[in-house]
Amino acid sequence: TGCSAELCQHGLNGYVFQTGDVNQLASYLSAMLTMPEDERTKMGNASLEIVSNYSFEVIRQNLKSLL
C-alpha cells in the first residue's frame, strides 16, 4: 500500500499484491523464505538499481535539463 509502482516491479525486486489479500501476501512471503540466496541477492541488487534513479543527483540533473 502506498508504494510507487516504479519502485516495486513484480518478480524483479519484490512482489505486488492487492491490499488486504492476506493469502497472496502469505504466498509471497513463503516464496521469499524458500527462495535460494542468489535469487534474493538478485532481487536486492535490482532494488538498488531502481532506487538509484531517484537519487538527489539524478533528480537535480533531470530538473536542470528542463530549464
Side-chain angles (χ1 to χ4, degrees):
T1 299
C3 177
S4 174
E6 294 85 25
L7 294 178
C8 185
Q9 298 178 10
H10 189 81
L12 177 66
N13 70 324
Y15 297 105
V16 178
F17 58 94
Q18 186 69 34
T19 300
D21 188 342
V22 295
N23 291 326
Q24 192 67 68
L25 172 59
S27 176
Y28 290 141
L29 288 173
S30 178
M32 291 294 295
L33 290 171
T34 58
M35 182 181 290
E37 183 177 353
D38 65 318
E39 288 184 41
R40 288 192 314 270
T41 299
K42 286 179 188 177
M43 290 181 97
N45 289 337
S47 289
L48 292 173
E49 186 174 333
I50 291 167
V51 298
S52 72
N53 294 315
Y54 296 90
S55 71
F56 176 77
E57 184 60 27
V58 170
I59 292 170
R60 184 189 69 78
Q61 288 175 358
N62 289 340
L63 289 173
K64 186 177 178 181
S65 71
L66 296 174
L67 299 176

